[in-house]
Amino acid sequence: MQHHQWSFIALLFPLLLFWTVTTVVCLHPATAESVAVVKDDDDREKPRPISAELFAELEELSRIVDIAYCVGTTGIMKPFLCASRCQDFDHFELITTWSTGLLLSDSCGYLAVDHSPRTPRIIVAFRGTYSLANMIIDLSTMPQRYIPYPPDDGDDGDDGERGGKSRCEDCAVHAGFLFSWQETRKIIIPHLKRLKQAYPTHQLALVGHSLGGAIAALAALEFHHRGWDPQVTTFGEPRVGNEAMAAYFDARFGNNTTVGGSGGGTSARFRRVTHVDDQVPLLPLQEWGYRMHAGEIFIAKPALPPAVTDVFHCVGDADPRCIASDRIFGAGVGAAGVDDDDDDDEEEEEARSEEVGRFEAQFIMAHRDYFWRLGLCIPGGDPTGRWQAFARQKVDVDLMPEEL
């Protein structure tokens, strides 16, 4: 069965690459801490659903990061205009956009100020990239030692955390992800310094999808050490580093606190949103030494749209009730219901081929579907129109139905 498992992986990455090229031009042990749980009909424990308030916040952030996919295509213009969802945020002021190129170091996004009196904040949005599949494959065996900020550029920043407090013992990070952040920081740090002086009370909000989630995570560590106290939300974030790196994230952002406190609500400093069947949060593979940090919020419903009751708090770095239960890479195609017996029966081989095809399509959609279908810089964002009703009643999340 092993050759079927790796054949599936080999087929999956070109398809992921094809999807992102056609839609984008720019191109661990779980903790034992307590968590509030609910039980389903067969008395099994499952994670606690998130609040309506947090659901509304995450839904809004998914639209904010979706706008980043306009960078490098139709563009984002000042004051805050684009072909996608910019009209939803008339209180946003665009500061700058960036694109670092088409190679493995590519990073795209935008920086804006939210002038809303309800949510004054500085927004840094990191979008996904066409080279995610290549980066994971080509650089997965090249982890690099992680040295926390300050870097060797003579810039000491603002924070008071120095010496032993900021050391990351035995930490290793994905070399491609780190290089992407190093290229991005040269562009956005000068802008952020000016904005932090101009708007000292504004919250610094980082949001990223796919590779953008990995870059947002590394940016958050530097901003934390600068004393900027960022709040980070990622969608479909891949594994950034090794087990020591995951523990470092958790310690810095309080990710392992009890749900309902700083580790689970709207005040949590790091929210890592995953979606059932999305395999990117399980990459690079654990067998290659990579681990995910905590702070997970899991969307359990495969199709759009999710309801509040479909989104759950998770516990620790690898809660088996959340994305860690997705075993496509760990158990092979047979994990989805096809018998693992390795024989040459033609019908069995045909069943496996059909199963692989379903997984490929399911994987691609799962990685794009986070509250909305991300990655489409077109008017309204989603051509299906399934979310128009939600857009009209987005404030009344307490009354949100199961299906719209």
Side-chain angles (χ1 to χ4, degrees):
M1 185 59 210
Q2 193 69 14
H3 67 282
H4 295 297
Q5 173 182 345
W6 291 103
S7 296
F8 166 65
I9 296 174
L11 285 170
L12 184 148
F13 278 114
L15 280 176
L16 173 62
L17 185 59
F18 171 79
W19 159 63
T20 44
V21 168
T22 56
T23 57
V24 177
V25 177
C26 168
L27 316 168
H28 48 202
T31 68
E33 298 186 43
S34 61
V35 56
V37 297
V38 295
K39 294 186 178 182
D40 57 18
D41 293 338
D42 61 3
D43 206 38
R44 290 177 301 176
E45 289 187 345
K46 61 181 180 179
R48 193 189 76 179
I50 66 173
S51 67
E53 180 184 7
L54 179 55
F55 184 96
E57 183 177 338
L58 296 176
E59 180 278 321
E60 181 188 62
L61 287 166
S62 73
R63 285 182 283 131
I64 288 173
V65 77
D66 190 36
I67 292 170
Y69 280 90
C70 293
V71 177
T73 54
T74 55
I76 308 175
M77 296 160 286
K78 294 185 177 181
F80 196 69
L81 304 171
C82 66
S84 182
R85 308 181 187 279
C86 291
Q87 69 274 10
D88 296 350
F89 303 98
D90 54 8
H91 44 278
F92 275 26
E93 174 192 357
L94 178 67
I95 303 301
T96 191
T97 63
W98 76 85
S99 172
T100 61
L102 295 173
L103 302 177
L104 290 180
S105 62
D106 72 323
S107 170
C108 299
Y110 68 90
L111 205 163
V113 176
D114 181 357
H115 292 292
S116 167
R118 181 178 62 87
T119 56
R121 52 191 166 168
I122 300 168
I123 300 283
V124 188
F126 301 84
R127 52 157 287 177
T129 172
Y130 84 98
S131 64
L132 176 64
N134 280 347
M135 183 177 294
I136 291 174
I137 294 173
D138 295 343
L139 299 176
S140 60
T141 58
M142 297 173 55
Q144 177 176 327
R145 181 189 174 197
Y146 177 73
I147 302 175
Y149 170 87
D152 296 327
D153 61 4
D155 179 7
D156 289 334
D158 311 315
D159 79 286
E161 193 172 280
R162 290 290 181 267
K165 290 185 178 180
S166 61
R167 290 177 185 166
C168 191
E169 298 292 342
D170 300 319
C171 287
V173 64
H174 190 286
F177 299 163
L178 181 61
F179 188 65
S180 290
W181 165 236
Q182 290 170 338
E183 293 297 295
T184 303
R185 68 181 302 279
K186 300 173 186 176
I187 301 171
I188 67 173
I189 291 290
H191 289 287
L192 284 173
K193 286 183 173 180
R194 290 193 292 270
L195 290 173
K196 289 294 293 181
Q197 291 179 346
Y199 304 100
T201 61
H202 280 42
Q203 179 189 73
L204 177 59
L206 278 59
V207 59
H209 174 241
S210 194
L211 170 67
I215 301 175
L218 293 172
L221 283 178
E222 176 168 338
F223 297 165
H224 171 80
H225 289 305
R226 286 178 177 270
W228 290 351
D229 192 25
Q231 184 173 60
V232 195
T233 306
T234 65
F235 301 92
E237 173 195 339
R239 292 167 172 157
V240 175
N242 64 357
E243 187 171 6
M245 189 73 179
Y248 190 74
F249 270 108
D250 295 342
R252 291 300 176 274
F253 292 98
N255 289 341
N256 282 331
T257 54
T258 302
V259 169
S262 61
T266 58
S267 62
R269 307 316 301 162
F270 205 120
R271 287 87 60 92
R272 176 173 66 88
V273 186
T274 62
H275 182 207
V276 63
D277 298 327
D278 182 4
Q279 297 298 293
V280 168
L282 302 178
L283 296 172
L285 294 176
Q286 185 168 309
E287 287 80 357
W288 297 337
Y290 289 87
R291 300 291 187 276
M292 183 49 78
H293 58 81
E296 182 180 3
I297 294 174
F298 180 58
I299 303 173
K301 182 182 178 182
L304 293 174
V308 178
T309 53
D310 298 318
V311 189
F312 300 93
H313 294 290
C314 306
V315 183
D317 299 343
D319 191 330
R321 302 165 298 181
C322 298
I323 197 64
S325 67
D326 250 330
R327 302 297 296 172
I328 293 177
F329 286 103
V333 176
V338 178
D339 192 351
D340 281 337
D341 291 339
D342 189 8
D343 57 45
D344 296 326
D345 184 83
E346 291 184 3
E347 292 183 1
E348 181 114 353
E349 292 299 321
E350 183 179 351
R352 285 198 180 96
S353 297
E354 292 177 356
E355 196 74 16
V356 167
R358 286 195 294 271
F359 277 141
E360 290 166 349
Q362 185 176 340
F363 165 82
I364 292 172
M365 290 299 102
H367 189 53
R368 298 175 67 172
D369 291 351
Y370 280 88
F371 296 91
W372 301 77
R373 181 149 294 168
L374 306 183
L376 304 172
C377 182
I378 57 178
D382 184 352
T384 68
R386 296 173 65 186
W387 278 85
Q388 292 179 356
F390 179 77
R392 289 193 296 268
Q393 63 167 5
K394 58 190 175 184
V395 177
D396 299 324
V397 292
D398 290 308
L399 303 177
M400 188 174 301
E402 287 286 333
E403 296 286 345
L404 294 176

